Amino acid sequence: MTLTSPQPRLHPTPDLDRRVAPAVGPVLDHARFGAAPAVLAGDAVLTHADLARRVADRAAAWGPARRLVLVEGANDLDSLVAYLAALQHGHVALVVPDGRHAQRDATIAAYDPDVVCTAGVGDDVRRATSAHDLHPDLALLLSTSGTTGSPKLVRLSRDNVASNAAAIADYLALTPADRAVTTLPLHYCYGLSVLHSHLVVGASVVLTGLSVVDACFWDLFARTGVTGLAGVPHTFDLLAASGFEDRDLPTLRRITQAGGRLAPEDVRRWSRSGRSRGWDLVVMYGATEATARMAWLPPDLAEDHADSIGVAIPGGHLYLDESVDDRPGVGELVYSGPSVMLGYAEEPADLALPRVTTELRTGDLAREHDGLFSVVGRRNRWGKVFGLRIDLDAVEQGLRADVDRHARVVATGRAVHAFLTSGRGSAAARTLVADRCGVPPHAVRVTVVPQVPLTSSGKPDYAALGALATQVEREEGTTATSASGRHPRTVRADVVRVLGRPDATDADSFVSLGGDSLSYVELATRLADHFPHGLPAGWHVRGIGELERLAAEADVAPDVERTSGAPTGTGRRRRRTTYLDTTVALRALAIVLIVASHVDLVGLEGGAHLLLALAGFNFARFQLSAPGGARTRLRHGLAGLAQLVVPAVLWVGGVALVLGSYDLTTVLFVREIVNGSVWDDQWQLWFLESLVWLTAAALAATTLPALHRLERRTPFRFALGVLALASVARLAEVGWRAGPTERYTTLAVSFFFALGWAGARAVTRRQRWTVTALALVTVVGYFGEVHREVIVLGGFLLLLWRPHVPVPPLVARVAGVLATASLFIYLTHWQVYPPLEDAGHPWLALVASLTVGVVYAYLVRPVHQAVGRAVLGSR
């Protein structure tokens, strides 16, 4: 099947040829933009005219003859000028990584460049004319995706560079007002494409070698008004770890992602985050052999098609060759267009070759659905680590020649794994693999096996080695956790235990597995053992594999002291504080206040209304964060609702049968509908009834196709709309101040649920202040009792502004147990405390009520898990 890009764009843009007219001639025509800023480096701001002068002067120093110019691609002004001098003035630029002297020297030995430009050193003009026969179309030589461990280079023409830059600028709708920052190295085709696509439209680039985890990077970002970030999957891990989602970045307009597959749940998560904060996530697909980009996914499709690479870039074509795979609808992805390379070069003589390639067979297996392509596998032996595409066969050949003739190499998204049959060469293997692949040593794993597994035909079983590599990484996570002094449980084991999902994969998250608010509490409490500084932001939508990696990397908390009586130097430590999820702390506190008020120990009411706000908060976090479309959201929502209703019906129905204190309307949660405002014992469970109907209504509203799309596009505004409707319903039902019984009706309390929903969708400081103001306006005056309003407002504002609270570990564990059982404590305590309270034992009534609820929660756990699995379906 063939697909030509339907040209979906972020904004209307001029015709491609008119937009970047000078594709013939200079690749980047700075004369058109004159005094507009082009490059910001340190304190220097170069206009396009300034940059053009520096580039011309640099090229003039090399002489008039056309040369092969090797440039170290550092993210600094000197390297940038050298690269542009070669590209703009007719030379052939051979770009290599900076600081990797062995790779640079090997490239010099293999290709004998005429000019060598070393970052921070200067230019070595090695001869007056070129020693090579350079084809007239040849302009740029790059290793595939930065480095492959192989001397093979990609030959790119001037038209390749110009057309791909124009296409990227077109579908991103870049203008002279845009400003990028070098989050990627300039020796990497993705990094170069950012440079090309911005300069070609008169936009600007901020040069820096700082990492996104460096606070100075964000100071530079704010000071220079950066509008766009580019990242590979590893970049997004760093962004998450650095607190990016809490930063106020008013100038940011888009983040682009390429360089490897970003997990679908991460695509959805980042897309939602961006949409709520004013920037777009643009997922892209490419290869050095296509100059950079071949496909892009329009931002408005990211959440519903998170596993897709999208459509062909403007001017490009994609189709599937289904002859290479036996599965129906699956074929090798093939690309054609003006950015397809001239061919490969493996020796200097190849630099004289003309074009030998008109289409690119990517080696990726893909499917096509509704005009969008999704990659489902690979045909050949390449791997990607940290965004670098690595020729595993080339690395393996070097390893077999120099270290172990039985060695084999595979790669995961996290590391390159070398398997040896002897431990004597482990150190040498690690060094060789790191050098050949260009990855840091900590991204290389060396494992000694008795023998390399083989297939039935006697060939190396790379599938088995891949599974072994995954197992090695999992075991490392367990070992690291144990060595740090924390409990040797794994994240995976905790997830399986709490959710009852042994089929969970590394890519699955708490939300995608159908977790609900109760299981969230238990799992958050258990995971706190793995994260002494607090759970990672958005952990509930992160994959299990990612959480295990973050847990293994977590540092020991600084606020520790030696265990009393432990011998000096043993390293045994215990934490004085742990960071408890605020929702867990509030659930525990609320249920204790509810029961304590009912047994007349304290007169601090309001806990149930706070729990409603927490329910709305968790509904937005879990049901509305479920990956997939409206149908998936409905399935996850029904699972959460069923996990709430079934255990409640079992208890209430049992009490109705045995004690007769509840009637059928209460068992079926229709008491308010049938009996209206008649106040009797059936009202005891008003909170559960309101919770059931409010959750059902919210689920129905957000799974209607039109409303589903609206909520996906503008989640915070949608939540404010829900809050507005709920506030109108409250005013219509009870007015501004609710009476003693009116304050418990479903319509009247709906705004508490909506307030929590809005709080979960408030991701920026401005949005949180907005919700704070709305909380003050809606809550104050509702009860007409200061202590109730202080409890509800105080708890809600703590939830809004403090995701974690420091508490002693013992308190955290007790709070976790109580919060997990909060629903069941509320459900059962009505039958437990009355006789003890009547006998004058309020403290015993409190303890007994909490204990019975915890026991019932434990007994009903298998039912809770089975209901969730039944609704979601086991995979």
Side-chain angles (χ1 to χ4, degrees):
M1 176 171 284
T2 303
L3 177 72
T4 301
S5 170
Q7 306 287 318
R9 291 171 176 161
L10 307 181
H11 309 285
T13 58
D15 179 80
L16 187 61
D17 295 331
R18 188 169 73 251
R19 183 184 176 87
V20 190
V24 178
V27 177
L28 308 171
D29 188 356
H30 303 287
R32 288 194 295 157
F33 308 112
V39 175
L40 291 79
D43 295 328
V45 179
L46 273 69
T47 66
H48 281 267
D50 295 332
L51 182 60
R53 283 191 291 271
R54 290 203 185 196
V55 167
D57 291 344
R58 187 70 166 267
W62 300 337
R66 188 169 183 244
R67 316 286 184 86
L68 175 62
V69 181
L70 182 143
V71 179
E72 281 195 329
N75 288 2
D76 59 35
L77 185 58
D78 181 71
S79 297
L80 175 64
V81 170
Y83 168 69
L84 291 178
L87 187 69
Q88 293 288 85
H89 290 268
H91 302 287
V92 177
L94 196 174
V95 185
V96 298
D98 67 298
R100 298 182 193 162
H101 302 307
Q103 187 171 341
R104 180 200 62 195
D105 293 345
T107 304
I108 291 174
Y111 284 94
D112 189 21
D114 305 309
V115 180
V116 175
C117 304
T118 304
V121 175
D123 301 345
D124 177 15
V125 181
R126 306 173 76 195
R127 56 185 68 92
T129 60
S130 181
H132 305 286
D133 182 5
L134 303 173
H135 192 276
D137 292 339
L138 184 61
L140 180 59
L141 295 165
L142 294 173
S143 293
T144 56
S145 294
T147 179
T148 65
S150 166
K152 184 164 62 176
L153 302 175
V154 172
R155 297 185 292 121
L156 299 172
S157 70
R158 298 168 68 79
D159 286 344
N160 287 155
V161 176
S163 65
N164 205 243
I168 295 170
D170 184 53
Y171 70 70
L172 291 182
L174 298 179
T175 72
D178 280 292
R179 179 163 294 169
V181 62
T182 54
T183 48
L184 301 169
L186 293 181
H187 62 79
Y188 178 25
C189 75
Y190 186 7
L192 278 180
S193 74
V194 174
L195 175 73
H196 297 157
S197 59
H198 280 72
L199 294 185
V200 81
V201 297
S204 54
V205 177
V206 179
L207 291 177
T208 180
L210 294 171
S211 168
V212 295
V213 300
D214 193 324
C216 295
F217 174 90
W218 297 107
D219 292 341
L220 176 67
F221 188 105
R223 188 170 68 252
T224 56
V226 171
T227 63
L229 277 176
V232 297
H234 181 60
T235 310
F236 287 81
D237 290 342
L238 297 178
L239 287 173
S242 67
F244 168 80
E245 291 167 289
D246 293 326
R247 297 186 183 277
D248 185 16
L249 305 171
T251 62
L252 182 61
R253 292 292 174 264
R254 73 182 61 82
I255 295 182
T256 60
Q257 182 271 318
R261 182 177 184 267
L262 192 63
E265 61 268 23
D266 289 331
V267 172
R268 296 185 186 97
R269 169 191 165 204
W270 288 104
S271 177
R272 282 193 297 269
S273 177
R275 191 178 59 249
S276 67
R277 304 187 66 184
W279 52 264
D280 288 321
L281 174 69
V282 185
V283 175
M284 308 188 300
Y285 169 83
T288 310
E289 291 87 343
T291 309
R293 305 276 71 81
M294 291 182 279
W296 72 294
L297 182 65
D300 61 308
L301 303 180
E303 290 191 46
D304 290 335
H305 301 279
D307 62 343
S308 173
I309 61 170
V311 298
I313 65 172
H317 306 271
L318 289 169
Y319 73 89
L320 300 178
D321 177 3
E322 297 186 21
S323 66
V324 304
D325 196 276
D326 295 333
R327 291 171 291 178
V330 175
E332 183 177 10
L333 191 62
V334 184
Y335 174 79
S336 62
S339 62
V340 173
M341 66 177 178
L342 301 174
Y344 289 111
E346 299 189 65
E347 58 182 359
D350 295 338
L351 304 183
L353 294 176
R355 174 178 292 280
V356 296
T357 305
T358 57
E359 64 179 20
L360 178 62
R361 302 187 70 86
T362 65
D364 284 325
L365 299 174
R367 297 180 186 273
E368 185 270 331
H369 180 68
D370 291 339
L372 300 176
F373 289 91
S374 298
V375 174
V376 298
R378 288 287 299 167
R379 286 195 69 196
N380 52 24
R381 289 267 296 136
W382 293 77
K384 263 194 177 177
V385 179
F386 296 147
L388 300 177
R389 196 161 63 125
I390 298 167
D391 186 341
L392 297 175
D393 283 331
V395 177
E396 187 177 280
Q397 289 168 12
L399 198 60
R400 288 163 64 85
D402 297 338
V403 179
D404 181 349
R405 65 189 183 92
H406 299 293
R408 297 293 175 186
V409 177
V410 297
T412 66
R414 308 172 193 170
V416 181
H417 288 257
F419 292 93
L420 311 179
T421 57
S422 170
R424 291 190 298 273
S426 295
R430 184 182 302 276
T431 301
L432 184 148
V433 172
D435 288 345
R436 293 288 182 95
C437 297
V439 299
H442 69 75
V444 179
R445 306 289 187 273
V446 179
T447 303
V448 179
V449 294
Q451 62 181 24
V452 174
L454 303 176
T455 65
S456 58
S457 60
K459 296 179 179 180
D461 190 345
Y462 288 108
L465 288 173
L468 183 55
T470 301
Q471 179 182 339
V472 167
E473 291 175 358
R474 289 176 181 170
E475 290 175 352
E476 282 181 343
T478 303
T479 303
T481 303
S482 179
S484 68
R486 298 191 294 276
H487 199 288
R489 296 190 324 259
T490 64
V491 171
R492 172 179 298 280
D494 284 338
V495 172
V496 170
R497 172 181 172 80
V498 173
L499 298 180
R501 292 297 297 266
D503 58 328
T505 68
D506 278 354
D508 285 323
S509 67
F510 171 83
V511 168
S512 71
L513 291 171
D516 66 341
S517 60
L518 295 178
S519 52
Y520 174 90
V521 171
E522 182 178 1
L523 187 56
T525 304
R526 296 180 68 85
L527 292 184
D529 290 340
H530 304 286
F531 297 96
H533 303 302
L535 294 175
W539 69 264
H540 56 292
V541 293
R542 295 177 184 242
I544 295 172
E546 180 185 0
L547 288 177
E548 288 193 319
R549 184 176 73 253
L550 292 175
E553 295 171 355
D555 296 326
V556 177
D559 52 339
V560 296
E561 62 180 15
R562 294 197 180 276
T563 302
S564 176
T568 302
T570 64
R572 294 174 56 206
R573 296 175 183 266
R574 63 180 175 89
R575 296 197 302 273
R576 290 185 297 183
T577 61
T578 189
Y579 288 84
L580 182 65
D581 187 294
T582 302
T583 62
V584 177
L586 290 175
R587 287 177 75 104
L589 177 62
I591 195 61
V592 170
L593 288 179
I594 289 170
V595 179
S597 297
H598 289 170
V599 301
D600 293 331
L601 271 177
V602 296
L604 298 176
E605 298 87 355
H609 293 82
L610 177 57
L611 284 178
L612 278 176
L614 287 170
F617 188 88
N618 286 330
F619 175 81
R621 273 207 298 183
F622 307 141
Q623 270 68 47
L624 298 188
S625 297
R631 183 174 299 177
T632 302
R633 174 178 284 185
L634 177 62
R635 192 169 67 252
H636 279 259
L638 289 176
L641 194 59
Q643 288 173 311
L644 166 67
V645 170
V646 172
V649 168
L650 287 176
W651 179 269
V652 179
V655 170
L657 289 173
V658 175
L659 302 179
S661 52
Y662 296 135
D663 61 27
L664 188 60
T665 63
T666 302
V667 175
L668 299 178
F669 297 109
V670 294
R671 181 264 323 149
E672 188 177 341
I673 298 173
V674 175
N675 296 333
S677 59
V678 177
W679 186 265
D680 54 25
D681 286 348
Q682 309 302 317
W683 274 79
Q684 290 177 345
L685 300 181
W686 72 267
F687 165 75
L688 285 176
E689 184 166 333
S690 293
L691 179 58
V692 168
W693 287 107
L694 289 173
T695 302
L699 183 61
T702 53
T703 52
L704 291 172
L707 293 179
H708 170 76
R709 290 191 295 270
L710 180 60
E711 197 281 331
R712 288 290 201 198
R713 285 197 299 270
T714 58
F716 182 65
R717 292 181 181 178
F718 189 95
L720 292 184
V722 172
L723 179 57
L725 289 175
S727 298
V728 170
R730 164 256 187 103
L731 292 174
E733 178 80 358
V734 300
W736 191 257
R737 176 174 296 179
T741 59
E742 291 176 333
R743 65 181 57 145
Y744 304 112
T745 62
T746 298
L747 281 179
V749 301
S750 61
F751 79 94
F752 289 102
F753 186 92
L755 195 61
W757 183 341
R761 289 313 203 196
V763 295
T764 67
R765 183 175 293 272
R766 178 178 299 177
Q767 290 172 346
R768 284 194 286 269
W769 277 117
T770 299
V771 175
T772 298
L774 291 172
L776 290 169
V777 169
T778 55
V779 174
V780 173
Y782 178 78
F783 297 103
E785 298 175 356
V786 174
H787 74 276
R788 289 181 187 258
E789 291 165 6
V790 167
I791 287 173
V792 176
L793 263 179
F796 178 73
L797 295 181
L798 181 66
L799 170 70
L800 190 62
W801 291 98
R802 290 294 301 271
H804 301 93
V805 290
V807 296
L810 179 60
V811 172
R813 293 187 181 280
V814 173
V817 172
L818 293 176
T820 302
S822 57
L823 167 67
F824 308 107
I825 293 172
Y826 183 88
L827 189 66
T828 60
H829 84 288
W830 300 102
Q831 283 72 53
V832 176
Y833 81 84
L836 295 173
E837 181 194 18
D838 293 342
H841 303 297
W843 281 103
L844 182 58
L846 173 64
V847 173
S849 295
L850 298 179
T851 302
V852 170
V854 170
V855 171
Y856 183 65
Y858 176 80
L859 294 175
V860 84
R861 176 207 287 270
V863 176
H864 186 264
Q865 293 178 343
V867 167
R869 288 196 301 268
V871 178
L872 285 174
S874 183
R875 295 167 303 181

